[in-house]
Structure formats: C-alpha cells, structure tokens
Amino acid sequence: MNIPEEVGKFTQIFNGLMALMRRFIFRVLRAGPIPNHISFIMDGNRRFAKKHNLESVHAGHRAGFISVTYVLQYCKEIGVPYVTLYAFGFDNFKREPEEVKCLMDLMLEKVELTIEQAISGNLKGVRVIFAGDLNSLNERFRASAQRLMEITEENRDLIIVVCVAYSTSREIVHAVRESCVRKSDDGNCNVVMELNDIEKYMYTSVVPDPDIVIRTGGGDRLSNFMIWQTSKSLLHTTAALWPELGLWHLVWAILKFQRLQGYLQKKQKLD
Ligand code: IPE
Ligand code: MG
C-alpha cells in the first residue's frame, strides 16, 4: 500500500470512530430536552484569519463556511429540527466592496454545491430556506437560492433558514408593509393591524421562535438578528471564533439549555 492510500485508510477509520463517538454522545444528550430551534450568530471569521496568519480575510470566511457544514451535520445528528444561520446581515453591505463580493461568491458557491447535492440525493431530508431582503442580492444568487428552496421544499428532517441581507428592522418594515397591502382592499393603509398580521409576513415566519441563540466571537449583542423572535430564547455566547466552533461548544450550549429548562419554562409561562 502506498502512502496516499494509507493516509486515506487512516482518515476513513478515524472518521468512522469520530462518528461512533458522536452517536454515543448525542444519545446521552437526547436523554434531556433537545432544542427545537437553534440560531447561530456566526462571528469572528476575520479575527480567525488574523489569529492564524491566513493570507487574507477571505480565507477566514472560507474557514467559516467549512464550519457551517460541520455544525449543520451535528445539529442533524442530534435531531434539532430547525436551525437558523445569520450568514450576512444587511449592515454587512457597508463592508469593503471586495469583502462583500467575496462573501457573496462564497455563498453562491455553497448554494450551487448544495443544489448538486440535492439533485444527486445526498442532502437527505434537509430543507433550505433563505430569509432576508433577497431583492438586494444579485440576480444569479437570487435564482440559485430560489432553485435550492424549491428542490428541497418537501424535506422535513432538518429545516435550515439562511438569513442573508437580513436585519430585524427591515424584516419588521417588510412585514408591516406587506400586511398593510394585503389587508387593505385598495392599497390604503387605514386598517386595524393585529400582531399575527405582522408575524405572518416576517421573513422567518416559516420557523418557530428559537430556543437558543448561539453567538460566537465573544460578542454579547444580537446585532439586529431575530430581535422580535428571541425575547424568550436563551442567549449563549462563546469566545470561540466561528471557524473554531466545534462539537464540544455545541454540546455545552445544549447542556446549558437542559440545565436551565425549569427556569426557561417558568419565564415563558410568566410573559
Ligand atoms: C462574521 O465574521 C462573518 C459574517 C457573517 C459576515 P466577521 O467577518 O464579522 O469577523 P470578525 O468579527 O470581524 O472577526
Ligand atoms: Mg464580526
């Protein structure tokens, strides 16, 4: 056997052992309540690039995209039905055009790859939904996002909401506008608005409110992310930068959710 073959064999054995270990850990974790919906504020890609002397911030973002794949795989294995990813905030458009382009290109690459996986039957039960001001994105991205949403529409094992060009402020404005237009016969906004009229037209109305928001990169803010939907969610912050988020961070966050179950349920009943 030559060296590449040996390395390949070793990697295969190692991955198999890791998968076995995860199965065991997740089985233990499932003895307690599993969050129905986890939201991730993915922060720290550029700091990761700097910390590891990568050639550019782009490499940091690329590392962040690899992390997304792993985290989603873990969530699926644990049995979390809904995951939301804050992939690109509306304010991120204010970054250098070159960085915005890099993020858009990476997202497009990922979307196109996921379409291929879905077509070849390798996505296994995963539904992808894009939420945000999608009209502000370029035509090619919009078309690919739309296609991915359509071909995964029937899947129910894991529902992933990717928030792109998203901010809660814009989401609320969009929902109010939309419900005004729908409620008034002639486009006149002189109508009585109820809470559920607005909620119906939120970008993220397809998913229940998050149980946990996990923010990486050490920040303690929600950064205009699902502010309306997270009043009762547990906020878990970790100093780990997004590309560093691993299995143990996720397990730790879920254990914290389980430990605070009584408190969270009491709070939900009181509000
Ligand atoms: C998050 O990481 C990337 C996006 C979701 C756009 P950052 O690019 O904000 O990285 P830091 O926080 O500056 O390190
Ligand atoms: Mg940041």
Side-chain angles (χ1 to χ4, degrees), residues 90 93 104 132-138 142 164-166 170:
F90 199 84
F93 278 121
M104 288 298 155
D133 185 359
L134 303 186
N135 289 329
S136 62
L137 301 166
N138 69 55
R142 265 209 319 266
V164 190
Y166 174 92
R170 293 187 84 84

Side-chain angles (χ1 to χ4, degrees), residues 17 28 51 63 72 111 114 117 122 127 130 138 141 143 170 180-181 183 217 219-220 229-230 240 242 249 258 270:
L17 282 173
V28 174
K51 186 173 159 186
L72 291 175
V111 172
T114 316
Q117 281 180 299
N122 286 329
R127 179 179 181 192
F130 290 86
N138 69 55
F141 184 88
R170 293 187 84 84
C180 266
V181 171
K183 270 204 126 179
D220 292 319
Q229 301 87 339
T230 52
W242 173 254
H249 294 107
Q258 295 182 337
L270 285 176

Side-chain angles (χ1 to χ4, degrees), residues 107-123:
M107 279 194 288
L108 182 65
E109 188 184 312
K110 185 85 185 153
V111 172
E112 290 181 339
L113 207 80
T114 316
I115 290 175
E116 279 172 32
Q117 281 180 299
I119 291 171
S120 59
N122 286 329
L123 213 53

Side-chain angles (χ1 to χ4, degrees), residues 62 100-110 138:
R62 195 165 273 285
V100 173
K101 185 176 178 312
C102 152
L103 280 162
M104 288 298 155
D105 289 349
L106 277 174
M107 279 194 288
L108 182 65
E109 188 184 312
K110 185 85 185 153
N138 69 55

